[in-house]
Amino acid sequence: MHINHTTEKEYNGGNIELLFISADEQGFTSNRWATYRQFQAAGLQVQKGQKSTELKRVVIKKVKGKNGEEEEKKLVKIFRVFNIEQTAPIDATQAV
């Protein structure tokens, strides 16, 4: 199962299929994924030229409806992740 490197949570829904396809196409053997910022916070740098994998999730946002009452609206949020094999420790990327 594909998991987020930072949160340790498994990806779900259609994102599982997208990650399997991306891993297969790019030859990744690791199942650990995260956003660019999550890897940076973990002390890892995504290497220059690496391609991300686009995932989607549904978020619920409260908005004012036409009648002035608060309503919940479902929105699709797109985010991009990288495989841990696309990273290197930040100290190693700064070596000359």
Side-chain angles (χ1 to χ4, degrees):
M1 214 47 166
H2 293 278
I3 60 172
N4 182 282
H5 180 71
T6 303
T7 65
E8 298 292 328
K9 292 183 180 178
E10 294 180 355
Y11 289 95
N12 55 41
N15 289 333
I16 296 170
E17 185 177 349
L18 294 171
L19 291 171
F20 271 113
I21 291 168
S22 181
D24 184 56
E25 287 176 351
Q26 297 183 67
F28 300 138
T29 57
S30 175
N31 66 342
R32 300 183 75 77
W33 301 82
T35 65
Y36 184 88
R37 288 184 180 167
Q38 285 175 322
F39 276 132
Q40 276 193 319
L44 297 168
Q45 179 65 49
V46 174
Q47 297 300 289
K48 186 175 183 177
Q50 295 297 316
K51 304 292 183 205
S52 64
T53 300
E54 186 177 275
L55 302 180
K56 297 174 181 142
R57 71 175 176 194
V58 176
V59 293
I60 298 174
K61 187 170 184 165
K62 293 185 179 187
V63 296
K64 291 209 177 200
K66 292 179 182 177
N67 58 6
E69 292 183 21
E70 199 170 79
E71 299 175 352
E72 289 185 348
K73 186 172 186 176
K74 292 182 181 179
L75 303 170
V76 175
K77 182 176 180 182
I78 296 172
F79 62 105
R80 298 179 177 279
V81 296
F82 295 88
N83 189 279
I84 197 165
E85 293 178 24
Q86 296 173 280
T87 67
I90 287 178
D91 291 340
T93 62
Q94 296 174 353
V96 176

